[in-house]
Amino acid sequence: MCGIVGYVGDRSALPVLLEGLKSLEYRGYDSAGVALPLDGCLEVVRRAGKVDELIAATAGSANGQHSGIGHTRWATCGEPSESNAHPHRDCTGNLAIVHNGIIENHVQLRQELVAGGHVFHSATDSEVVAHLVEAHVNAGADLLDAVRLAARELHGSFAIVAIDARNPGAIVGARVDAPLVLGLGDGEYFLASDVAPLLPYTRRVVWLADGEAAQLSPAGVRIVDLEGVEHAPSSSEIAWDREAAEKAGFPDFMLKEIHEQPRALRDTLRGRADASGELTLDELALSPEDIAGVDKIFIVACGSSYHAGLVAKYAFERWARIPVEIDVASEFRYRDPVLSPKTLVVGISQSGETADTLAAIRYARRQQARTVVITNVVGSSISREADGVLYTHAGPEIGVAATKTLTTQIACLWLLGLWFSWARGALSPEAAAEVIADLWRCPEQMEEVLADDSRVREVAERFAPAEGFLFIGRGVGYPLAMEGALKLKEISYVHAEGFAAGEMKHGPIALIDKGVPVVAIATHSRVLGKLISNIEEARARGASIVCVAQKGDERVLEVAGDVLVVPQTAELLSPMLDLIPLQLLAYHVAKARGCDPDRPRNLAKSVTVE
Ligand code: M6R
């Protein structure tokens, strides 16, 4: 979850590192630090708190260094503090490392290193890396070899970048199960946890593979595996531009990303589903014969991605008539699910780095199941693990709350569901073409919903002081209720729960008291009548009812205190539109309560530990 960045080239390294850390801050922000070589020694500055603290602390620092490494931390081992902040130095103080991930055997390694005379200064697992690399340098290895040999001794997940003031013209990185990307400039090179820090300088990147180490110097890039065998770097171009990674005039990334959804959905559909009903999903690596051989689908994911899976289950089962089971990824592999070569396991992960989802896909492969993943990050770990990959093409999502990546995940899942229904002959070509036509209408309809933002804001500001919210829905509205509640609690710290409306009478209705806001996802469906009865029951007990409903639905108008209007669409596609008022509601409640929606407390964008 931490963000790491490294630079070597002609520029002054400090501003490159600080700017890079700012753009990586969504990965963690409890402390930050940099290490830069200065006259044969390392200058290391670290601060507890956000990157701005570090920027203030380095204000008077010399700017003449042309290489350096930096880190922004999300604590996993050792409390958030300055002494636990990275970079961590070796005993000489000449060598420093930054690390993202978890070293599982750090206790044993620390004991061995201490017995060998090494002195530790932090409570982190990461510091063992500095001392291990030091031990290999002392034994005669150059920095690249020392890092690779150290990496071989580490158990767990890690991306490391190291620098040695005795050879300031090079930085070295290595990765196992944590992301690290190289940026190739003109005589200058970058290393980072993702592409955001590279975009101001270059779009040419090399995605370091698991078990590779790289040395970057003005002379170029050298990549080796952990055995020391040379690998030729294979570069690719990033299509995202710098502006895409910035706020584009919105006060927060989350609001910008909510508004980007129509564009993101168009990008997700383009080239895959054309208006005539034709589907092209070659990237799935699943032929019609393969699909005919699948008798069950498992979906595994975490958080909002899990909700995307729940939404998709309704469509898969109705369109393709195939059984779908869904699990939170952290439960999946520990409950001995029954898999076979006839099972398809679909993993969903925005970041492509979520440890549990990654592990679930690996587990599925070991059980000989077929695997497909849906991710937003090209080159992410999960994309390299599965038989087929569907990219969401949502562009970088910086806000911790998943918004545009969730709606585009759902779109990818629907395409997959249509692909299955077509291959299994479960849906007529005309019916499939109708769904695709409806889907292509969604971006414009989403724009309509977004244009009504001021109405959502007004409702949100009125209810912002409430101590708790309930969200209810039926059918495909049920996972939306869970998502509405997750979004609200995650960014505004208000207690919120999402329920299947039919479950209200089995317990949750006891929470209802005068004025408790109940948000009902009440768009058109085969169960709307039943949902309206549940709304009536809540209203009779004094709840304040807010409904997400379709234009002109008189039945809902009669029971709702407030209505957040969305255009009409097919029942199964309604999540695409209904999610927007729920996202905006959470956003405006968070703002009204003075919370930072982009950086909610205790959370990180990418959860790379179990
Ligand atoms: O990167 P992933 O999609 O695997 O992340 C899964 C969850 O951590 C993520 O959806 C989380 O729940 C979001 N912060 C919700 O807004």
Side-chain angles (χ1 to χ4, degrees):
M1 357 262 218
C2 307
I4 60 185
V5 60
Y7 175 76
V8 58
D10 289 336
R11 289 172 210 268
S12 181
L14 182 59
V16 176
L17 299 179
L18 294 177
E19 198 183 337
L21 291 179
K22 279 300 280 179
S23 66
L24 287 175
E25 216 177 1
Y26 70 89
R27 300 178 66 89
Y29 35 82
D30 60 48
S31 60
V34 287
L36 301 115
L38 185 68
D39 302 331
C41 300
L42 267 187
E43 187 185 19
V44 175
V45 185
R46 306 184 298 179
R47 285 295 178 273
K50 294 186 176 169
V51 174
D52 283 339
E53 305 289 332
L54 179 69
I55 293 175
T58 51
S61 301
N63 253 338
Q65 301 99 322
H66 298 291
S67 63
I69 61 177
H71 187 271
T72 176
R73 180 167 186 250
W74 189 83
T76 52
C77 179
E79 58 165 15
S81 66
E82 188 171 318
S83 60
N84 287 336
H86 300 218
H88 290 290
R89 277 164 283 195
D90 70 348
C91 296
T92 68
N94 288 323
L95 188 153
I97 63 95
V98 287
H99 163 235
N100 167 33
I102 286 200
I103 310 297
E104 287 170 359
N105 57 338
H106 71 102
V107 174
Q108 179 209 332
L109 289 171
R110 184 186 274 245
Q111 280 165 357
E112 290 167 8
L113 287 159
V114 167
H118 290 262
V119 179
F120 281 70
H121 298 281
S122 80
T124 65
D125 54 345
S126 309
E127 195 182 345
V128 298
V129 180
H131 294 281
L132 265 185
V133 175
E134 175 188 17
H136 288 293
V137 168
N138 288 347
D142 65 13
L143 190 60
L144 178 60
D145 272 342
V147 167
R148 125 185 126 68
L149 292 168
R152 285 170 49 164
E153 294 173 65
L154 303 175
H155 300 168
S157 63
F158 53 87
I160 307 163
V161 181
I163 193 163
D164 188 336
R166 293 158 292 194
N167 177 16
I171 55 173
V172 169
R175 62 156 281 183
V176 170
D177 282 349
L180 199 56
V181 58
L182 280 60
L184 311 179
D186 192 6
E188 60 179 352
Y189 300 92
F190 308 79
L191 268 171
S193 300
D194 79 22
V195 295
L198 318 181
L199 292 176
Y201 311 103
T202 182
R203 292 196 192 162
R204 206 148 57 88
V205 302
V206 175
W207 295 95
L208 212 58
D210 253 356
E212 281 186 339
Q215 176 178 279
L216 282 59
S217 71
V221 170
R222 237 186 103 199
I223 297 180
V224 294
D225 64 22
L226 298 188
E227 306 304 316
V229 178
E230 297 273 344
H231 288 188
S234 149
S235 68
S236 55
E237 291 285 322
I238 293 294
W240 300 349
D241 60 17
R242 187 180 180 176
E243 204 192 310
E246 290 175 353
K247 289 186 192 162
F250 286 92
D252 309 277
F253 281 113
M254 182 182 175
L255 189 61
K256 170 182 170 253
E257 288 155 5
I258 290 173
H259 280 264
E260 282 176 337
Q261 290 178 105
R263 193 272 309 147
L265 177 58
R266 287 188 185 101
D267 285 351
T268 303
L269 298 180
R270 195 168 289 126
R272 290 169 168 161
D274 78 17
S276 68
E278 216 29 55
L279 275 181
T280 315
L281 292 181
D282 298 339
E283 65 253 63
L284 279 180
L286 279 177
S287 68
E289 295 71 38
D290 293 333
I291 291 179
V294 171
D295 63 8
K296 186 166 189 179
I297 296 177
F298 279 84
I299 300 180
V300 285
C302 302
S304 291
S305 298
Y306 170 71
H307 297 156
L310 287 174
V311 166
K313 176 180 161 78
Y314 288 84
F316 266 90
E317 292 188 338
R318 204 176 295 172
W319 293 337
R321 306 304 303 148
I322 187 163
V324 176
E325 269 198 51
I326 168 148
D327 277 87
V328 284
S330 52
E331 291 296 319
F332 178 70
R333 73 197 146 119
Y334 296 116
R335 71 167 176 87
D336 293 333
V338 182
L339 308 179
S340 78
K342 289 182 161 188
T343 315
L344 176 70
V345 177
V346 180
I348 314 166
S349 174
Q350 176 287 129
S351 59
E353 304 295 343
T354 297
D356 284 313
T357 313
L358 199 51
I361 290 297
R362 287 179 182 154
Y363 175 89
R365 292 196 77 182
R366 281 198 302 276
Q367 306 295 313
Q368 265 100 50
R370 288 186 157 275
T371 53
V372 166
V373 294
I374 294 175
T375 182
N376 193 39
V377 181
V378 177
S380 57
S381 301
I382 209 166
S383 71
R384 289 193 291 263
E385 297 280 346
D387 299 320
V389 186
L390 272 179
Y391 288 110
T392 45
H393 301 321
E397 188 174 74
I398 308 297
V400 166
T403 53
K404 62 178 177 169
T405 56
L406 170 63
T407 40
T408 51
Q409 283 168 351
I410 293 172
C412 283
L413 287 159
W414 284 340
L415 296 180
L416 187 60
L418 288 172
W419 187 252
F420 261 79
S421 52
W422 167 75
R424 291 165 61 88
L427 201 65
S428 71
E430 295 74 28
E434 207 177 305
V435 175
I436 291 171
D438 285 343
L439 197 44
W440 266 110
R441 271 190 282 278
C442 283
E444 215 179 307
Q445 293 178 312
M446 291 166 113
E447 278 156 8
E448 251 184 78
V449 184
L450 288 164
D452 220 9
D453 182 21
S454 54
R455 166 77 182 133
V456 187
R457 181 180 179 159
E458 186 268 308
V459 173
E461 286 175 352
R462 206 157 11 95
F463 287 106
E467 280 173 12
F469 284 64
L470 297 182
F471 288 74
I472 58 171
R474 277 179 176 261
V476 83
Y478 166 38
L480 302 189
M482 293 167 73
E483 173 62 12
L486 172 65
K487 212 95 299 177
L488 186 67
K489 62 187 150 196
E490 140 178 69
I491 60 169
S492 63
Y493 321 142
V494 185
H495 183 242
E497 294 300 331
F499 297 108
E503 278 290 292
M504 285 287 285
K505 286 196 283 288
H506 300 282
I509 201 162
L511 292 170
I512 293 183
D513 203 351
K514 196 166 166 31
V516 169
V518 172
V519 182
I521 293 78
T523 45
H524 175 75
S525 79
R526 46 166 83 163
V527 284
L528 181 58
K530 292 183 190 303
L531 176 68
I532 287 175
S533 306
N534 302 135
I535 295 172
E536 294 272 25
E537 288 154 11
R539 198 164 70 121
R541 285 156 181 83
S544 298
I545 309 292
V546 179
C547 285
V548 176
Q550 281 160 356
K551 236 181 223 161
D553 199 326
E554 294 297 330
R555 288 176 299 170
V556 178
L557 284 180
E558 277 168 27
V559 293
D562 288 284
V563 178
L564 306 176
V565 175
V566 295
Q568 291 187 354
T569 189
E571 175 184 352
L572 287 175
L573 301 193
S574 57
M576 201 48 82
L577 309 180
D578 298 353
L579 277 168
I580 294 178
L582 298 177
Q583 296 166 348
L584 289 171
L585 185 73
Y587 172 81
H588 289 303
V589 170
K591 293 295 274 191
R593 294 174 70 101
C595 305
D596 176 352
D598 286 344
R599 288 182 292 198
R601 69 184 181 202
N602 304 336
L603 289 175
K605 182 72 179 162
S606 171
V607 183
T608 52
V609 291
E610 268 193 73

